[in-house]
mmCIF file of all heavy atoms in Angstrom:
data_model
loop_
_atom_site.group_PDB
_atom_site.id
_atom_site.type_symbol
_atom_site.label_atom_id
_atom_site.label_comp_id
_atom_site.label_asym_id
_atom_site.label_seq_id
_atom_site.Cartn_x
_atom_site.Cartn_y
_atom_site.Cartn_z
ATOM 1 N N VAL X 1 35.190 154.505 89.689
ATOM 2 C CA VAL X 1 34.056 153.516 89.573
ATOM 3 C C VAL X 1 34.313 152.245 90.311
ATOM 4 O O VAL X 1 33.364 151.449 90.507
ATOM 5 C CB VAL X 1 33.742 153.254 88.089
ATOM 6 C CG1 VAL X 1 33.245 154.457 87.347
ATOM 7 C CG2 VAL X 1 34.942 152.621 87.382
ATOM 8 N N CYS X 2 35.515 152.020 90.809
ATOM 9 C CA CYS X 2 35.799 150.870 91.663
ATOM 10 C C CYS X 2 35.523 151.177 93.154
ATOM 11 O O CYS X 2 35.610 150.254 93.974
ATOM 12 C CB CYS X 2 37.224 150.415 91.463
ATOM 13 S SG CYS X 2 37.528 149.720 89.843
ATOM 14 N N GLU X 3 35.274 152.356 93.446
ATOM 15 C CA GLU X 3 34.944 152.783 94.874
ATOM 16 C C GLU X 3 33.612 152.189 95.244
ATOM 17 O O GLU X 3 32.697 152.060 94.354
ATOM 18 C CB GLU X 3 34.871 154.352 94.993
ATOM 19 C CG GLU X 3 36.219 155.014 94.874
ATOM 20 C CD GLU X 3 37.101 154.753 96.090
ATOM 21 O OE1 GLU X 3 36.589 154.691 97.210
ATOM 22 O OE2 GLU X 3 38.309 154.522 95.863
ATOM 23 N N PRO X 4 33.366 152.016 96.544
ATOM 24 C CA PRO X 4 32.056 151.509 96.978
ATOM 25 C C PRO X 4 30.902 152.419 96.533
ATOM 26 O O PRO X 4 29.847 151.972 96.187
ATOM 27 C CB PRO X 4 32.147 151.413 98.502
ATOM 28 C CG PRO X 4 33.626 151.329 98.768
ATOM 29 C CD PRO X 4 34.305 152.075 97.631
ATOM 30 N N ASP X 5 31.184 153.722 96.592
ATOM 31 C CA ASP X 5 30.159 154.698 96.155
ATOM 32 C C ASP X 5 30.859 155.871 95.450
ATOM 33 O O ASP X 5 31.388 156.761 96.106
ATOM 34 C CB ASP X 5 29.337 155.222 97.343
ATOM 35 C CG ASP X 5 28.126 155.973 96.885
ATOM 36 O OD1 ASP X 5 28.125 156.592 95.792
ATOM 37 O OD2 ASP X 5 27.093 155.930 97.552
ATOM 38 N N PRO X 6 30.915 155.882 94.131
ATOM 39 C CA PRO X 6 31.580 156.970 93.416
ATOM 40 C C PRO X 6 31.070 158.350 93.745
ATOM 41 O O PRO X 6 31.822 159.323 93.799
ATOM 42 C CB PRO X 6 31.320 156.605 91.953
ATOM 43 C CG PRO X 6 31.153 155.132 91.924
ATOM 44 C CD PRO X 6 30.440 154.851 93.245
ATOM 45 N N ALA X 7 29.763 158.458 94.041
ATOM 46 C CA ALA X 7 29.205 159.777 94.365
ATOM 47 C C ALA X 7 29.753 160.248 95.665
ATOM 48 O O ALA X 7 30.080 161.487 95.807
ATOM 49 C CB ALA X 7 27.654 159.689 94.440
ATOM 50 N N ALA X 8 29.935 159.390 96.647
ATOM 51 C CA ALA X 8 30.491 159.799 97.960
ATOM 52 C C ALA X 8 31.909 160.259 97.763
ATOM 53 O O ALA X 8 32.404 161.202 98.393
ATOM 54 C CB ALA X 8 30.375 158.672 98.981
ATOM 55 N N TRP X 9 32.679 159.531 96.946
ATOM 56 C CA TRP X 9 34.079 159.840 96.665
ATOM 57 C C TRP X 9 34.202 161.288 96.085
ATOM 58 O O TRP X 9 35.002 162.103 96.577
ATOM 59 C CB TRP X 9 34.663 158.812 95.665
ATOM 60 C CG TRP X 9 36.133 158.980 95.433
ATOM 61 C CD1 TRP X 9 37.143 158.304 96.055
ATOM 62 C CD2 TRP X 9 36.743 159.768 94.398
ATOM 63 N NE1 TRP X 9 38.335 158.628 95.487
ATOM 64 C CE2 TRP X 9 38.100 159.540 94.465
ATOM 65 C CE3 TRP X 9 36.263 160.628 93.434
ATOM 66 C CZ2 TRP X 9 39.033 160.243 93.640
ATOM 67 C CZ3 TRP X 9 37.169 161.320 92.611
ATOM 68 C CH2 TRP X 9 38.531 161.103 92.714
ATOM 69 N N ALA X 10 33.390 161.504 95.071
ATOM 70 C CA ALA X 10 33.424 162.827 94.426
ATOM 71 C C ALA X 10 32.881 163.921 95.351
ATOM 72 O O ALA X 10 33.471 165.067 95.407
ATOM 73 C CB ALA X 10 32.611 162.785 93.142
ATOM 74 N N TRP X 11 31.815 163.685 96.086
ATOM 75 C CA TRP X 11 31.250 164.657 96.956
ATOM 76 C C TRP X 11 32.269 165.104 98.045
ATOM 77 O O TRP X 11 32.413 166.264 98.397
ATOM 78 C CB TRP X 11 29.959 164.180 97.618
ATOM 79 C CG TRP X 11 29.332 165.246 98.447
ATOM 80 C CD1 TRP X 11 29.273 165.312 99.805
ATOM 81 C CD2 TRP X 11 28.687 166.459 97.968
ATOM 82 N NE1 TRP X 11 28.668 166.444 100.236
ATOM 83 C CE2 TRP X 11 28.256 167.170 99.150
ATOM 84 C CE3 TRP X 11 28.409 166.987 96.703
ATOM 85 C CZ2 TRP X 11 27.628 168.406 99.074
ATOM 86 C CZ3 TRP X 11 27.738 168.204 96.656
ATOM 87 C CH2 TRP X 11 27.361 168.912 97.805
ATOM 88 N N GLN X 12 32.954 164.168 98.614
ATOM 89 C CA GLN X 12 33.962 164.441 99.640
ATOM 90 C C GLN X 12 35.043 165.347 99.111
ATOM 91 O O GLN X 12 35.400 166.325 99.726
ATOM 92 C CB GLN X 12 34.584 163.141 100.163
ATOM 93 C CG GLN X 12 35.616 163.419 101.218
ATOM 94 C CD GLN X 12 36.311 162.184 101.701
ATOM 95 O OE1 GLN X 12 36.466 161.207 100.947
ATOM 96 N NE2 GLN X 12 36.761 162.154 102.931
ATOM 97 N N ARG X 13 35.512 165.087 97.889
ATOM 98 C CA ARG X 13 36.545 165.959 97.322
ATOM 99 C C ARG X 13 35.972 167.331 96.963
ATOM 100 O O ARG X 13 36.680 168.326 97.110
ATOM 101 C CB ARG X 13 37.181 165.256 96.041
ATOM 102 C CG ARG X 13 38.237 164.269 96.559
ATOM 103 C CD ARG X 13 38.236 162.997 95.763
ATOM 104 N NE ARG X 13 39.159 162.025 96.370
ATOM 105 C CZ ARG X 13 38.795 161.134 97.297
ATOM 106 N NH1 ARG X 13 37.566 161.135 97.746
ATOM 107 N NH2 ARG X 13 39.661 160.265 97.820
ATOM 108 N N HIS X 14 34.726 167.323 96.501
ATOM 109 C CA HIS X 14 34.098 168.610 96.160
ATOM 110 C C HIS X 14 33.962 169.529 97.412
ATOM 111 O O HIS X 14 34.324 170.660 97.383
ATOM 112 C CB HIS X 14 32.764 168.352 95.478
ATOM 113 C CG HIS X 14 32.060 169.568 95.045
ATOM 114 N ND1 HIS X 14 32.629 170.496 94.208
ATOM 115 C CD2 HIS X 14 30.775 170.039 95.269
ATOM 116 C CE1 HIS X 14 31.748 171.482 93.909
ATOM 117 N NE2 HIS X 14 30.623 171.189 94.631
ATOM 118 N N THR X 15 33.390 168.933 98.444
ATOM 119 C CA THR X 15 33.199 169.742 99.658
ATOM 120 C C THR X 15 34.492 170.210 100.323
ATOM 121 O O THR X 15 34.595 171.342 100.839
ATOM 122 C CB THR X 15 32.307 169.039 100.706
ATOM 123 O OG1 THR X 15 32.895 167.744 101.041
ATOM 124 C CG2 THR X 15 30.890 168.847 100.109
ATOM 125 N N HIS X 16 35.533 169.357 100.206
ATOM 126 C CA HIS X 16 36.854 169.718 100.738
ATOM 127 C C HIS X 16 37.403 170.895 99.952
ATOM 128 O O HIS X 16 37.992 171.834 100.500
ATOM 129 C CB HIS X 16 37.816 168.568 100.769
ATOM 130 C CG HIS X 16 37.496 167.588 101.814
ATOM 131 N ND1 HIS X 16 38.311 166.450 102.087
ATOM 132 C CD2 HIS X 16 36.511 167.509 102.758
ATOM 133 C CE1 HIS X 16 37.778 165.812 103.087
ATOM 134 N NE2 HIS X 16 36.683 166.412 103.515
ATOM 135 N N ALA X 17 37.257 170.862 98.638
ATOM 136 C CA ALA X 17 37.762 171.925 97.759
ATOM 137 C C ALA X 17 37.024 173.213 98.052
ATOM 138 O O ALA X 17 37.605 174.297 98.120
ATOM 139 C CB ALA X 17 37.645 171.558 96.309
ATOM 140 N N ILE X 18 35.689 173.136 98.204
ATOM 141 C CA ILE X 18 34.880 174.295 98.547
ATOM 142 C C ILE X 18 35.291 174.891 99.863
ATOM 143 O O ILE X 18 35.410 176.128 100.007
ATOM 144 C CB ILE X 18 33.386 173.975 98.494
ATOM 145 C CG1 ILE X 18 32.933 173.447 97.116
ATOM 146 C CG2 ILE X 18 32.537 175.154 98.930
ATOM 147 C CD1 ILE X 18 33.078 174.413 95.994
ATOM 148 N N ALA X 19 35.526 174.057 100.829
ATOM 149 C CA ALA X 19 35.912 174.495 102.147
ATOM 150 C C ALA X 19 37.265 175.236 102.083
ATOM 151 O O ALA X 19 37.444 176.263 102.712
ATOM 152 C CB ALA X 19 36.022 173.342 103.111
ATOM 153 N N ARG X 20 38.197 174.692 101.327
ATOM 154 C CA ARG X 20 39.489 175.329 101.172
ATOM 155 C C ARG X 20 39.351 176.711 100.530
ATOM 156 O O ARG X 20 39.957 177.667 100.914
ATOM 157 C CB ARG X 20 40.437 174.464 100.298
ATOM 158 C CG ARG X 20 41.435 173.665 101.064
ATOM 159 C CD ARG X 20 42.510 173.017 100.198
ATOM 160 N NE ARG X 20 42.086 172.647 98.849
ATOM 161 C CZ ARG X 20 41.563 171.484 98.518
ATOM 162 N NH1 ARG X 20 41.235 170.578 99.416
ATOM 163 N NH2 ARG X 20 41.274 171.233 97.245
ATOM 164 N N ARG X 21 38.594 176.757 99.460
ATOM 165 C CA ARG X 21 38.401 178.017 98.745
ATOM 166 C C ARG X 21 37.604 179.060 99.471
ATOM 167 O O ARG X 21 37.862 180.241 99.387
ATOM 168 C CB ARG X 21 37.706 177.745 97.405
ATOM 169 C CG ARG X 21 38.606 177.031 96.384
ATOM 170 C CD ARG X 21 37.858 176.748 95.062
ATOM 171 N NE ARG X 21 38.690 176.163 94.083
ATOM 172 C CZ ARG X 21 39.480 176.811 93.244
ATOM 173 N NH1 ARG X 21 39.497 178.116 93.255
ATOM 174 N NH2 ARG X 21 40.232 176.166 92.385
ATOM 175 N N SER X 22 36.603 178.575 100.319
ATOM 176 C CA SER X 22 35.777 179.534 101.038
ATOM 177 C C SER X 22 36.344 179.923 102.356
ATOM 178 O O SER X 22 35.926 180.922 102.954
ATOM 179 C CB SER X 22 34.396 178.975 101.190
ATOM 180 O OG SER X 22 34.371 177.877 102.084
ATOM 181 N N GLY X 23 37.157 179.093 102.898
ATOM 182 C CA GLY X 23 37.738 179.330 104.252
ATOM 183 C C GLY X 23 36.798 178.906 105.369
ATOM 184 O O GLY X 23 37.031 179.230 106.525
ATOM 185 N N ARG X 24 35.741 178.136 105.062
ATOM 186 C CA ARG X 24 34.868 177.645 106.094
ATOM 187 C C ARG X 24 34.377 176.251 105.720
ATOM 188 O O ARG X 24 34.159 175.928 104.538
ATOM 189 C CB ARG X 24 33.668 178.571 106.310
ATOM 190 C CG ARG X 24 32.744 178.642 105.166
ATOM 191 C CD ARG X 24 31.550 179.559 105.424
ATOM 192 N NE ARG X 24 30.541 179.331 104.472
ATOM 193 C CZ ARG X 24 30.238 180.186 103.530
ATOM 194 N NH1 ARG X 24 30.851 181.344 103.445
ATOM 195 N NH2 ARG X 24 29.300 179.949 102.655
ATOM 196 N N THR X 25 34.259 175.422 106.762
ATOM 197 C CA THR X 25 33.878 174.058 106.581
ATOM 198 C C THR X 25 32.488 173.837 107.151
ATOM 199 O O THR X 25 32.234 174.200 108.340
ATOM 200 C CB THR X 25 34.850 173.088 107.280
ATOM 201 O OG1 THR X 25 36.182 173.300 106.740
ATOM 202 C CG2 THR X 25 34.464 171.619 107.090
ATOM 203 N N LEU X 26 31.584 173.287 106.370
ATOM 204 C CA LEU X 26 30.269 172.983 106.870
ATOM 205 C C LEU X 26 30.219 171.547 107.369
ATOM 206 O O LEU X 26 30.913 170.667 106.849
ATOM 207 C CB LEU X 26 29.243 173.101 105.755
ATOM 208 C CG LEU X 26 29.119 174.479 105.056
ATOM 209 C CD1 LEU X 26 28.072 174.477 103.941
ATOM 210 C CD2 LEU X 26 28.814 175.553 106.101
ATOM 211 N N THR X 27 29.425 171.277 108.403
ATOM 212 C CA THR X 27 29.200 169.924 108.852
ATOM 213 C C THR X 27 28.292 169.256 107.821
ATOM 214 O O THR X 27 27.663 169.902 107.009
ATOM 215 C CB THR X 27 28.524 169.902 110.206
ATOM 216 O OG1 THR X 27 27.185 170.472 110.049
ATOM 217 C CG2 THR X 27 29.316 170.736 111.210
ATOM 218 N N ALA X 28 28.224 167.935 107.938
ATOM 219 C CA ALA X 28 27.304 167.158 107.043
ATOM 220 C C ALA X 28 25.908 167.626 107.220
ATOM 221 O O ALA X 28 25.136 167.713 106.207
ATOM 222 C CB ALA X 28 27.473 165.638 107.313
ATOM 223 N N ALA X 29 25.473 167.959 108.455
ATOM 224 C CA ALA X 29 24.161 168.421 108.703
ATOM 225 C C ALA X 29 23.929 169.802 108.004
ATOM 226 O O ALA X 29 22.858 170.053 107.425
ATOM 227 C CB ALA X 29 23.855 168.534 110.193
ATOM 228 N N GLN X 30 24.896 170.662 108.113
ATOM 229 C CA GLN X 30 24.786 171.995 107.462
ATOM 230 C C GLN X 30 24.722 171.853 105.936
ATOM 231 O O GLN X 30 23.933 172.537 105.287
ATOM 232 C CB GLN X 30 25.964 172.868 107.858
ATOM 233 C CG GLN X 30 25.839 173.353 109.306
ATOM 234 C CD GLN X 30 27.124 174.060 109.716
ATOM 235 O OE1 GLN X 30 28.264 173.719 109.334
ATOM 236 N NE2 GLN X 30 26.954 175.084 110.561
ATOM 237 N N GLU X 31 25.518 170.950 105.399
ATOM 238 C CA GLU X 31 25.517 170.671 103.973
ATOM 239 C C GLU X 31 24.132 170.210 103.551
ATOM 240 O O GLU X 31 23.565 170.693 102.525
ATOM 241 C CB GLU X 31 26.540 169.624 103.546
ATOM 242 C CG GLU X 31 27.915 170.063 103.620
ATOM 243 C CD GLU X 31 28.916 168.885 103.362
ATOM 244 O OE1 GLU X 31 28.448 167.776 103.056
ATOM 245 O OE2 GLU X 31 30.119 169.133 103.483
ATOM 246 N N ALA X 32 23.535 169.256 104.262
ATOM 247 C CA ALA X 32 22.234 168.726 103.973
ATOM 248 C C ALA X 32 21.202 169.783 103.977
ATOM 249 O O ALA X 32 20.325 169.901 103.124
ATOM 250 C CB ALA X 32 21.873 167.579 104.848
ATOM 251 N N LEU X 33 21.268 170.648 105.044
ATOM 252 C CA LEU X 33 20.301 171.756 105.179
ATOM 253 C C LEU X 33 20.437 172.733 104.018
ATOM 254 O O LEU X 33 19.421 173.196 103.451
ATOM 255 C CB LEU X 33 20.499 172.438 106.532
ATOM 256 C CG LEU X 33 19.394 173.369 106.972
ATOM 257 C CD1 LEU X 33 18.087 172.575 107.169
ATOM 258 C CD2 LEU X 33 19.752 174.033 108.285
ATOM 259 N N LEU X 34 21.635 173.072 103.664
ATOM 260 C CA LEU X 34 21.865 173.994 102.536
ATOM 261 C C LEU X 34 21.321 173.407 101.249
ATOM 262 O O LEU X 34 20.579 174.053 100.495
ATOM 263 C CB LEU X 34 23.384 174.242 102.402
ATOM 264 C CG LEU X 34 23.829 175.082 101.157
ATOM 265 C CD1 LEU X 34 23.249 176.519 101.256
ATOM 266 C CD2 LEU X 34 25.305 175.111 101.052
ATOM 267 N N LEU X 35 21.628 172.135 100.984
ATOM 268 C CA LEU X 35 21.121 171.503 99.783
ATOM 269 C C LEU X 35 19.591 171.415 99.774
ATOM 270 O O LEU X 35 18.980 171.601 98.696
ATOM 271 C CB LEU X 35 21.722 170.075 99.645
ATOM 272 C CG LEU X 35 23.206 170.000 99.409
ATOM 273 C CD1 LEU X 35 23.733 168.603 99.564
ATOM 274 C CD2 LEU X 35 23.534 170.470 97.969
ATOM 275 N N HIS X 36 18.958 171.171 100.896
ATOM 276 C CA HIS X 36 17.554 171.024 100.971
ATOM 277 C C HIS X 36 16.775 172.366 101.052
ATOM 278 O O HIS X 36 15.845 172.597 100.248
ATOM 279 C CB HIS X 36 17.169 170.116 102.167
ATOM 280 C CG HIS X 36 15.779 169.692 102.191
ATOM 281 N ND1 HIS X 36 15.181 168.879 101.239
ATOM 282 C CD2 HIS X 36 14.732 169.966 103.080
ATOM 283 C CE1 HIS X 36 13.916 168.716 101.551
ATOM 284 N NE2 HIS X 36 13.635 169.345 102.656
ATOM 285 N N GLU X 37 17.184 173.193 101.978
ATOM 286 C CA GLU X 37 16.475 174.442 102.206
ATOM 287 C C GLU X 37 16.788 175.537 101.237
ATOM 288 O O GLU X 37 15.916 176.244 100.792
ATOM 289 C CB GLU X 37 16.727 174.933 103.677
ATOM 290 C CG GLU X 37 16.282 173.970 104.739
ATOM 291 C CD GLU X 37 14.768 173.823 104.818
ATOM 292 O OE1 GLU X 37 14.090 174.809 104.540
ATOM 293 O OE2 GLU X 37 14.345 172.713 105.186
#
C-alpha cells in the first residue's frame, strides 16, 4: 500500500508468475489484447 500503484505492483508479480508457469511471456500489448478481446 506504500507503493505508488499497488495494482501495478501486484499485476507485475502476477504476470511474471504466469509467465514462469506457462513458459511464455506476453508483451504488455498482448496482455491488454487478451484481457480486452
Side-chain angles (χ1 to χ4, degrees):
V1 295
C2 292
E3 289 291 320
D5 193 329
W9 185 94
W11 183 253
Q12 180 184 30
R13 278 139 188 91
H14 184 53
T15 56
H16 287 183
I18 298 299
R20 260 191 329 274
R21 287 178 177 273
S22 69
R24 66 178 194 252
T25 302
L26 300 181
T27 66
Q30 289 171 324
E31 287 174 6
L33 194 63
L34 174 65
L35 291 166
H36 190 65
E37 299 292 328

